[in-house]
Amino acid sequence: GAGVSQSPRYKVAKRGQDVALRCDPISGHVSLFWYQQALGQGPEFLTYFQNEAQLDKSGLPSDRFFAERPEGSVSTLKIQRTQQEDSAVYLCASSLEAGSSYNEQFFGPGTRLTVL
Amino acid sequence: KQEVTQIPAALSVPEGENLVLNCSFTDSAIYNLQWFRQDPGKGLTSLLLIQSSQREQTSGRLNASLDKSSGRSTLYIAASQPGDSATYLCAPGASDDYKLSFGAGTTVTVRA
């Protein structure tokens, strides 16, 4: 079936605007992850969902970042009052089972956010 | 916290040369280690996943070795081609965690 998809692929926002980034994981995958990748760096963990439950949000950089997965499938990462330091690629990944790095993670193409 | 280092940060070779990419990590308690490829402006494509019980994994021209006790993995790419130009990232999966920790990657350029 289809892999992980993300939309939009590119987003340009003016400083102070709110943005919403969408992730469609592989159908049936229990686990969903969001990562942030700054230019020239590796991805950094933001948050983890097991089905609809957000079990870990320790990587969210501020309370302006909010993520949800209300029905245990599609997830949305929302950033309020965007700042220039939020400019990055936001990657979504899913894995079949719950709660272990033993399970291979499959990544989407990412959303490149540029805040002017 | 797992710290991952990839050396070199960048590599430029003529077509046909073999590539050797190094990854080191501080916490050897891992389940597995994944190698990913990332093209400019794109997401991550998984290349190889090597389990902690394995010493190496092969796929076509790619071979990854893992020395868990010393916290090292090496990705070998044989007979490089211009299409191999990309950034290569390694990510060990800790046995007591579900999130991946990534290195900053090695950016490879293969010159025709």
Side-chain angles (χ1 to χ4, degrees):
Chain A
V4 178
S5 61
Q6 293 185 244
S7 61
R9 291 294 317 281
Y10 303 91
K11 177 70 179 177
V12 179
K14 292 183 179 178
R15 191 159 54 99
Q17 278 186 331
D18 297 349
V19 299
L21 312 180
R22 178 187 168 108
C23 171
D24 285 80
I26 295 172
S27 179
H29 277 200
V30 168
S31 294
L32 186 145
F33 303 82
W34 284 98
Y35 292 85
Q36 180 191 56
Q37 187 177 22
L39 189 64
Q41 301 297 316
E44 295 275 348
F45 169 81
L46 293 177
T47 187
Y48 165 63
F49 288 87
Q50 182 178 312
N51 295 309
E52 70 279 2
Q54 188 176 21
L55 298 187
D56 187 345
K57 51 183 181 180
S58 62
L60 296 177
S62 79
D63 59 7
R64 296 185 295 103
F65 286 71
F66 171 78
E68 60 183 5
R69 192 186 185 198
E71 297 178 359
S73 54
V74 171
S75 177
T76 304
L77 176 67
K78 297 179 180 178
I79 309 173
Q80 297 176 323
R81 305 181 303 282
T82 52
Q83 304 294 316
Q84 285 188 323
E85 62 262 29
D86 300 335
S87 296
V89 175
Y90 290 85
L91 295 164
C92 176
S94 69
S95 66
L96 180 61
E97 296 180 4
S100 171
S101 64
Y102 185 81
N103 305 303
E104 186 173 0
Q105 293 183 25
F106 298 87
F107 282 78
T111 294
R112 179 176 295 277
L113 173 65
T114 303
V115 181
L116 303 176
Chain B
K1 180 179 182 289
Q2 180 77 278
E3 300 290 339
V4 184
T5 303
Q6 291 189 246
I7 294 173
L11 189 58
S12 179
V13 300
E15 183 175 4
E17 269 201 16
N18 298 329
L19 292 165
V20 180
L21 310 180
N22 297 297
C23 169
S24 61
F25 47 94
T26 54
D27 185 352
S28 61
I30 62 169
Y31 272 140
N32 53 38
L33 185 143
Q34 279 186 264
W35 280 95
F36 294 90
R37 169 184 173 137
Q38 187 172 35
D39 292 285
K42 301 288 177 65
L44 305 181
T45 301
S46 182
L47 297 174
L48 290 167
L49 184 151
I50 181 166
Q51 302 291 352
S52 60
S53 58
Q54 297 176 299
R55 292 196 65 85
E56 64 179 74
Q57 183 74 262
T58 298
S59 176
R61 295 185 293 112
L62 305 180
N63 175 277
S65 67
L66 176 63
D67 185 342
K68 183 180 157 184
S69 60
S70 67
R72 294 178 190 224
S73 178
T74 302
L75 179 67
Y76 302 90
I77 304 177
S80 62
Q81 303 169 358
D84 294 329
S85 299
T87 296
Y88 293 83
L89 297 154
C90 72
S95 57
D96 62 350
D97 203 352
Y98 38 73
K99 54 185 175 283
L100 297 178
S101 298
F102 287 86
T106 294
T107 299
V108 171
T109 303
V110 180
R111 310 185 301 272

